[in-house]
Amino acid sequence: MSGSLRDTNLEGWNRPPVIVPDGEGELLEVAMGPHHPSTHGVFRMDLALDGERVVRLKPVFGYLHRNHEQIGETVSYLAMMPYTDRLDYICSLTNNWAYALAVEKLVGQAVPERAEYIRVILAELTRIVNHASAIGFLIQEMGASGTPLMYAFREREKILDLFESLTGSRMMCNYMRFGGCRVDPSAAWLDATRKVVAGLPQFAHEFENLLMSNEIVMARCQGVGKLRPELAINAGVTGPMLRASGVNYDIRKVDHYGVYDRFKFRVPLGDHGDIYDRYMVRVLEIHESIGILEQALKEIPGGPVMDPKAKIRGFRPKPGEAYGRIEGPKGELGFYLISDGGNSPYRFRVRPPSLINLTVLEDMCLGHNVADVVLIFGSVDIVLGEVDR
Amino acid sequence: MLGEGILKGLAETARNAVGSFVSKDRLTTVEYPEERLPLPEASRNFPFLVYDGTDWEKGLRCVACQICEKECPPKCIYIDKSKDKKPDAFGRPQIYPAKFDIDISVCMSCQICVEVCPFEAIKMDTQYELSTDDRFGGLLLDRKELAKSNEYYHQIHPTEASEVDAKLAAEKVKADAKAKAAAGAAAAKAAAAAAAPKPAEAAAKPVVLADAPAAKPQGEGD
Amino acid sequence: MKSVEEIKAAIEAAVPGAGVEIVPNPSPSGQHSLRLLPSHAVAVAYFLRDDEDLGLDFLSNLTGVDHLDKEIAEKVKVTRQVTKTVDGVEQTVDEVVEETRKHMEPGYLETVYHLFSMAKKHGPVVLRMRTVNRTDEVELPSVTPVWRSAEFQEREVFDLYGVVFTGHPDLRRLLMWPEFKDHPMRRDYKEPDDFEYEPTPHDTVLARAKDHKAAVAGQEGTGTGL
Amino acid sequence: MEEGLKIELGKQGVFVTTIEELYNWGRKNSVWPMQFGLACCAIEMIATTMARYDLARFGAEVFRPSPRQADLMIISGTVTKKMAPQVVRLYNQMAEPRYVIAMGACAISGGPFKQGYNVLKGIDRYIPVDVHIPGCPPRPEALLQAFMTLQKKIEEQPLTGEGRPRHLDAEAQGEFPVPVQGEHDLEPTSNKLVWPLPVVIR
């Protein structure tokens, strides 16, 4: 990141001027979505086109608004845990962790060391799953229908098998608890994980070879959908998208939550902030995650996975509030809880990285072709369950 | 050279295509109806009720304490407490669920009912082939459809079931000892003051019943 | 990072009349917040973002909270003059009596802001603002010109809570459809009656299912399933 | 013809069939689903089409983005009140014979989210559903099994008389009314023709 914010003029943050067509023809208004094969679910963009070029783009949300926040305020703290699985349904375990972290902050609950290691292992596996499928979807939208996504999902199935044998469910794990984890992984499970992790570098390498230097991918991605770092910071963009713009901000390094400061890993940074950088940052993050996994699986200590003093049923925190956040695969995932001493939170708020990363969608798309909009949107890597909640 | 990257990618796909003939790792297809992947032991789908012995109605471990009903996040369990007590599998008179319905069209397979159950009465099934065209009849399971034997539980979750059995046995021994001690103490007391002996069941009954929710308002259904 | 007290002092030095108030947070998280006056909020926001030491360039989270009208009963000790007969003589004596006084605390809508610094890597600084009431005076200044990340989040608060952000460039509903009239996250929102089939009714659902049944029975004279 | 005789003839190398069987055999092995993902279950639906489960083995690998070219709508996820009119419209745009699988708890009844103000409590309030798969989300195998259930249903449909497929029934309802987003809720809240309310006996 170059210098501080003050030397950039953000007063004119209002979008670049709309390009008005010169007299001949009119703007074509297109509603893309909510049922559109390229969008990741039910998302709608209202586009105004000048020929092929985008001159206005308004995202329309709410097609998957499932009232997570309202439900969070009516059910108990424990009962909200399985709902968090369904926020970002590709990465249920990081959602679990963020929520558990927020509640642990609210009540000042400590977590045993072994549980912290397990959380790191599961979160990094989730990150690999997410990044691999995000890249797969992105390339699918580029026209490579099937193959990369097929490879990504083949690897995902292996990791999902691990999740299932530990937590009982493939996608909706509901595994973490306030003060630890629900079940202790057996030695056999850890061995199976080591085996899967040992196979991952090869997968990452193949996945990289498959696409990284592909001329078509480069032609479609490089220089498209650029995001300036100043705008990225001001718009609250987080996660791989922010780092692709060259801002060194990884909550794993900043907040030192969990036991992340015990592991050696690097934060991949992009240079141009275009689609290709976002894609490469994700590829490199897969490599770093594999590194963290190897270290964590080597160092994992014994001991309990649950603080014996932690309460599960009848959990009533004292009045107060807390904001807990983690570096989810998509960005900063935060939970903000206000307790009034009751059975359920007075206010339950999810800070969705996907929604806030979409703030800059219009800025990235303006002036590009319609075909690029799909790619730029894909490179943001969103999950609608989290955007609309 | 232009096209080098594409060739590199094609080499990868070729490696995968050829590899799928020789390596099990690359050919992952499971031909579902004929061959099935073994489910991991922890796998879960929908809850069921465990019963001991052979008679499902008599052997249900559930005592209708309604904790799971209260804790269930999507509120898909419906329990009606019985008015009378019936002897359970061990011959102790217990309240039993007169009605125990689970609406699996709502259930989110979260396992919280299993976690909060103090009687090890509700467990997760692994059965997933449940698709039906009967919206109302096929998806509302009553207590007869939910009841599965302890042997079945051993079959699907062997490790967990053995642990549960050991725990229950230990609890029973403890409770029996306690009851015996209480009876002994009572007998001693009775010998001293000729007081009536305490019933053994009171001591054997777990404490958790105390915070079970109050009975539901009657007459909401007809 | 500076403590809340220091931040308060810095704000008051930079923005005269800002009227910042510290809201303590009793939870172990220790995230105390600062309540701003809506009239000075934008100036304070610019200061927080551009200050050398604070550099809070990243508005992470913005949300609304609804506080209903509350009846507060508090016990007050009141000194009263009582006429008593002591030893056959009437005297006026001061007597301390405990009295329960009830007063209505008007409800309000609150917005909460969580600020971090990406340049300095610190945070969070929590800000709050209140509207005057929940019905007609629900305007708060928008911080979207300061932090762009507020754009969608303010629209969401407008949609679900009904806080009107003045100065927002595009204040429309975010999640619900445009024709929708209510603000569903408000605590007194009444959901539409669509509980037709509830085989496992509970608490609130049970009550609503019953209401629905009564309504249908009143309308048609026929019963439907819960 | 008797089933036993048919099998016996098959063993001898003679295949006997009826028009109805042949017709239904063709239909059941080329069900093209619509590429239409709503929520969590969509990910499991995608997983079903991927290498391990391989929906292509059932002749259904062609996911069509356009409703005009699709035979099957897999409602894979929560239908919100904001999305419901679009789902009904998409269903109306599909050509007969069309089938609907409600995949997962949310599509059947609103599932865990049915307490929410913006969640439709089951898509069968507006359109007829052929197969329901409970689960949250159902495993890919469960989707395959539901698919086989649907194939069986197609196979058993007679071409004439009662229970014939709707494209052969001139009187069958083609258009389903699309709900309108009102000021507080969808209007109407359900289509009474496809949503016969059962009575739960307690």
Side-chain angles (χ1 to χ4, degrees):
Chain A
M1 187 193 150
S2 58
S4 86
L5 269 178
R6 266 158 292 112
D7 43 43
T8 31
N9 177 23
L10 277 165
E11 305 310 355
W13 68 270
N14 268 316
R15 277 101 201 199
V18 169
I19 314 142
V20 184
D22 38 351
E24 29 182 307
E26 292 174 345
L27 289 184
L28 176 68
E29 299 212 351
V30 181
M32 226 162 134
H35 163 64
H36 185 268
S38 71
T39 54
H40 297 213
V42 279
F43 178 72
R44 178 170 140 207
M45 295 180 262
D46 284 348
L47 301 170
L49 304 174
D50 168 23
E52 273 281 303
R53 273 190 314 167
V54 179
V55 293
R56 195 178 65 231
L57 186 153
K58 295 280 173 215
V60 180
F61 303 95
Y63 290 100
L64 195 53
H65 179 43
R66 301 193 278 193
N67 334 113
H68 273 274
E69 294 186 1
Q70 183 221 28
I71 291 171
E73 287 164 23
T74 51
V75 301
S76 69
Y77 283 87
L78 172 65
M80 197 54 209
M81 185 60 87
Y83 281 103
T84 61
D85 288 337
R86 286 150 179 88
L87 272 173
D88 172 355
Y89 35 78
I90 296 183
C91 336
S92 68
L93 283 158
T94 45
N95 301 344
N96 277 188
W97 193 359
Y99 178 52
L101 192 82
V103 178
E104 280 154 11
K105 270 197 177 167
L106 183 66
V107 294
Q109 170 77 53
V111 181
E113 209 181 354
R114 185 175 169 84
E116 292 278 25
Y117 271 84
I118 297 164
R119 287 180 176 190
V120 168
I121 292 168
L122 293 172
E124 293 309 318
L125 284 172
T126 309
R127 200 180 307 277
I128 293 170
V129 167
N130 178 69
H131 285 354
S133 29
I135 295 167
F137 283 125
L138 172 67
I139 306 294
Q140 171 125 0
E141 271 149 33
M142 218 176 282
S145 66
T147 313
L149 192 61
M150 201 82 102
Y151 293 170
F153 267 67
R154 192 183 66 203
E155 224 52 33
R156 178 178 179 265
E157 290 293 341
K158 288 181 194 158
I159 296 175
L160 253 52
D161 281 349
L162 291 177
F163 289 168
E164 191 179 9
S165 59
L166 177 64
T167 69
S169 182
R170 284 159 51 86
M171 278 171 71
M172 308 305 178
C173 299
N174 180 20
Y175 179 64
M176 288 169 201
R177 291 286 177 268
F178 322 127
C181 300
R182 203 182 69 218
V183 283
D184 193 0
S186 62
W189 186 84
L190 288 172
D191 282 341
T193 313
R194 284 189 192 104
K195 219 177 124 202
V196 170
V197 170
L200 284 174
Q202 200 210 344
F203 157 72
H205 184 70
E206 277 183 15
F207 207 56
E208 228 179 290
N209 267 348
L210 181 67
L211 301 164
M212 193 178 71
S213 50
N214 189 315
E215 281 80 3
I216 302 169
V217 172
M218 293 210 285
R220 293 281 320 260
C221 293
Q222 287 181 344
V224 178
K226 281 195 181 177
L227 178 62
R228 287 179 296 126
E230 301 81 29
L231 178 65
I233 295 175
N234 195 254
V237 172
T238 44
M241 222 177 128
L242 176 72
R243 293 191 284 275
S245 290
V247 184
N248 185 0
Y249 193 75
D250 187 324
I251 298 170
R252 290 177 289 178
K253 294 269 190 198
V254 174
D255 273 15
H256 311 288
Y257 68 95
V259 285
Y260 271 115
D261 39 3
R262 299 190 194 173
F263 306 121
K264 249 185 89 189
F265 65 99
R266 294 171 300 167
V267 180
L269 293 182
D271 215 7
H272 310 93
D274 54 5
I275 300 180
Y276 192 75
D277 276 14
R278 272 169 234 144
Y279 156 60
M280 275 317 291
V281 164
R282 292 204 175 96
V283 171
L284 295 172
E285 276 191 12
I286 292 182
H287 284 291
E288 295 304 319
S289 290
I290 296 170
I292 297 175
L293 278 170
E294 281 164 355
Q295 295 170 49
L297 284 165
K298 205 157 76 193
E299 293 163 13
I300 182 165
V305 289
M306 191 75 198
D307 187 351
K309 274 179 273 171
K311 230 177 153 190
I312 292 294
R313 274 195 59 227
F315 183 79
R316 284 167 191 270
K318 291 193 182 70
E321 59 172 65
Y323 178 70
R325 56 175 195 164
I326 67 160
E327 178 73 33
K330 304 211 160 45
E332 174 189 329
L333 176 63
F335 282 84
Y336 173 55
L337 300 162
I338 303 180
S339 164
D340 59 351
N343 210 357
S344 49
Y346 184 79
R347 177 80 179 103
F348 173 87
R349 152 84 178 164
V350 190
R351 189 261 182 211
S354 302
L355 172 70
I356 296 165
N357 285 359
L358 282 176
T359 313
V360 289
L361 184 65
E362 181 173 14
D363 302 69
M364 292 193 294
C365 290
L366 286 186
H368 287 296
N369 290 347
V370 197
D372 293 330
V373 170
V374 178
L375 280 192
I376 295 167
F377 177 63
S379 74
V380 180
D381 180 21
I382 59 148
V383 154
L384 260 298
E386 191 178 72
V387 172
D388 295 339
R389 281 154 295 138
Chain B
M1 187 191 86
L2 188 71
E4 204 183 326
I6 295 178
L7 288 178
K8 228 162 125 187
L10 283 176
E12 282 309 325
T13 40
R15 197 197 325 211
N16 270 290
V18 176
S20 67
F21 288 100
V22 288
S23 144
K24 188 84 191 97
D25 212 36
R26 287 185 203 272
L27 181 69
T28 51
T29 308
V30 180
E31 303 205 348
Y32 159 67
E34 291 85 28
E35 57 172 321
R36 283 150 206 254
L37 284 179
L39 288 174
E41 230 182 80
S43 182
R44 62 169 197 251
N45 203 9
F46 290 120
F48 70 94
L49 296 172
V50 189
Y51 67 86
D52 295 306
T54 47
D55 183 4
W56 72 267
E57 204 165 3
K58 211 172 154 190
L60 278 186
R61 287 183 191 166
C62 178
V63 298
C65 68
Q66 294 180 316
I67 291 175
C68 54
E69 186 185 28
K70 202 175 156 203
E71 292 284 331
C72 175
K75 310 276 182 224
C76 70
I77 305 178
Y78 181 91
I79 301 173
D80 260 353
K81 252 185 180 157
S82 66
K83 301 266 180 342
D84 55 336
K85 287 188 177 184
K86 261 191 199 168
D88 65 358
F90 304 107
R92 291 181 301 226
Q94 291 282 23
I95 293 176
Y96 61 94
K99 224 172 196 107
F100 196 114
D101 291 351
I102 293 184
D103 188 358
I104 59 167
S105 72
V106 174
C107 174
M108 69 203 280
S109 318
C110 65
Q111 211 181 20
I112 281 178
C113 49
V114 177
E115 266 168 75
V116 298
C117 181
F119 302 95
E120 311 285 353
I122 188 164
K123 294 288 167 199
M124 294 309 275
D125 203 347
T126 52
Q127 180 65 26
Y128 53 79
E129 288 160 327
L130 296 157
S131 62
T132 168
D133 51 1
D134 183 4
R135 159 78 174 86
F136 299 108
L139 298 173
L140 184 64
L141 303 185
D142 63 9
R143 96 201 145 112
K144 190 176 174 201
E145 288 162 301
L146 288 168
K148 305 258 169 79
S149 68
N150 197 17
E151 285 73 50
Y152 176 78
Y153 180 36
H154 272 275
Q155 231 172 45
I156 55 172
H157 307 299
T159 327
E160 196 191 302
S162 314
E163 275 167 26
V164 165
D165 274 6
K167 192 181 148 212
L168 285 179
E171 258 171 31
K172 192 165 181 291
V173 167
K174 223 165 134 191
D176 283 351
K178 211 171 159 192
K180 218 178 216 174
K189 226 179 183 180
K198 243 168 144 183
E201 289 82 36
K205 202 185 273 175
V207 216
V208 203
L209 263 182
D211 64 354
K216 237 190 303 271
Q218 295 296 319
E220 72 272 31
D222 44 7
Chain C
M1 202 185 75
K2 285 179 173 178
S3 68
V4 238
E5 287 80 13
E6 285 165 338
I7 296 172
K8 181 184 176 213
I11 294 174
E12 277 171 349
V15 186
V20 183
E21 203 180 310
I22 294 177
V23 185
N25 176 6
S27 140
S29 70
Q31 294 166 346
H32 307 292
S33 44
L34 296 164
R35 186 181 303 132
L36 308 181
L37 287 179
S39 50
H40 292 75
V42 176
V44 172
Y46 273 117
F47 164 72
L48 290 175
R49 190 189 79 188
D50 297 340
D51 184 59
E52 289 275 348
D53 297 330
L54 290 167
L56 298 163
D57 47 10
F58 171 37
L59 169 68
S60 169
N61 181 34
L62 189 166
T63 187
V65 186
D66 185 14
H67 296 271
L68 287 175
D69 297 346
K70 233 182 349 196
E71 195 178 56
I72 294 182
E74 51 182 351
K75 285 200 172 131
V76 198
K77 283 200 175 141
V78 193
T79 321
R80 278 196 297 202
Q81 290 199 330
V82 192
T83 320
K84 267 188 182 174
T85 324
V86 183
D87 305 331
V89 189
E90 255 189 27
Q91 280 182 322
T92 317
V93 195
D94 280 355
E95 198 185 47
V96 184
V97 191
E98 259 198 9
E99 213 178 56
T100 317
R101 282 189 192 166
K102 282 185 184 167
H103 67 269
M104 290 295 278
E105 199 185 74
Y108 54 90
L109 301 165
E110 192 175 31
T111 49
V112 187
Y113 306 77
H114 286 82
L115 299 172
F116 291 86
S117 170
M118 281 199 188
K120 301 261 191 288
K121 305 218 181 338
H122 61 192
V125 172
V126 191
L127 307 178
R128 313 181 97 87
M129 264 194 276
R130 280 181 183 185
T131 60
V132 181
N133 57 24
R134 302 174 68 251
T135 46
D136 47 348
E137 291 179 70
V138 288
E139 283 93 21
L140 285 180
S142 164
V143 295
T144 309
V146 190
W147 293 287
R148 180 76 190 283
S149 55
E151 189 186 347
F152 287 163
Q153 304 191 61
E154 280 181 351
R155 275 179 65 186
E156 186 184 325
V157 174
F158 165 70
D159 183 354
L160 303 181
Y161 286 95
V163 179
V164 176
F165 290 96
T166 49
H168 191 286
D170 182 21
L171 197 65
R172 287 176 294 141
R173 282 188 181 272
L174 183 82
L175 297 171
M176 305 304 284
W177 55 89
E179 294 83 19
F180 198 69
K181 282 278 180 295
D182 308 327
H183 300 293
M185 280 295 285
R186 286 200 183 186
R187 297 187 89 82
D188 53 358
Y189 169 69
K190 210 164 155 33
E191 277 172 43
D193 171 26
D194 53 0
F195 282 76
E196 293 172 1
Y197 174 68
E198 287 295 329
T200 58
H202 284 265
D203 323 330
T204 48
V205 179
L206 176 66
R208 282 196 299 220
K210 265 184 174 170
D211 286 351
H212 172 82
K213 215 180 135 212
V216 171
Q219 245 174 37
E220 302 168 10
T222 52
T224 47
L226 259 187
Chain D
M1 190 183 281
E2 267 177 57
E3 202 65 18
L5 180 61
K6 216 190 304 182
I7 293 165
E8 192 55 40
L9 278 170
K11 278 181 192 161
Q12 305 295 329
V14 182
F15 290 98
V16 184
T17 186
T18 57
I19 298 276
E20 189 176 292
E21 268 171 26
L22 191 68
Y23 187 79
N24 281 343
W25 173 83
R27 285 203 305 138
K28 85 165 193 195
N29 284 315
S30 63
V31 178
W32 288 3
M34 182 155 68
Q35 185 176 347
F36 178 59
L38 282 170
C40 326
C41 294
I43 302 294
E44 285 296 60
M45 184 177 81
I46 294 167
T48 316
T49 63
M50 288 297 150
R52 183 181 281 185
Y53 301 102
D54 199 9
L55 192 61
R57 295 180 290 121
F58 297 86
E61 77 276 27
V62 209
F63 271 74
R64 293 277 105 176
S66 159
R68 294 279 185 216
Q69 301 162 353
D71 309 307
L72 168 67
M73 190 177 194
I74 302 177
I75 314 245
S76 50
T78 319
V79 185
T80 58
K81 285 181 181 165
K82 191 164 178 173
M83 190 65 198
Q86 275 83 335
V87 175
V88 179
R89 202 166 295 140
L90 283 170
Y91 181 74
N92 280 340
Q93 285 169 0
M94 281 166 72
E96 292 283 3
R98 52 191 170 181
Y99 298 93
V100 177
I101 290 182
M103 180 182 183
C106 295
I108 303 174
S109 71
F113 298 101
K114 73 176 196 183
Q115 305 156 42
Y117 49 83
N118 192 26
V119 175
L120 185 71
K121 291 159 188 66
I123 189 60
D124 48 2
R125 286 172 179 237
Y126 292 115
I127 56 177
V129 178
D130 296 283
V131 182
H132 301 86
I133 324 170
C136 192
R139 296 176 63 85
E141 289 101 326
L143 180 58
L144 291 180
Q145 197 249 341
F147 204 81
M148 285 163 11
T149 314
L150 181 71
Q151 283 186 333
K152 212 167 153 215
K153 184 172 175 171
I154 295 174
E155 201 176 10
E156 283 167 2
Q157 273 181 333
L159 296 188
T160 47
E162 193 70 17
R164 60 187 187 272
R166 276 208 306 263
H167 65 293
L168 299 174
D169 185 356
E171 267 142 48
Q173 191 182 1
E175 288 273 307
F176 286 80
V178 179
V180 181
Q181 288 164 339
E183 291 183 356
H184 305 286
D185 195 6
L186 289 178
E187 288 156 9
T189 54
S190 64
N191 179 357
K192 295 280 182 271
L193 289 174
V194 295
W195 171 244
L197 203 55
V199 178
V200 181
I201 298 149
R202 286 249 171 264

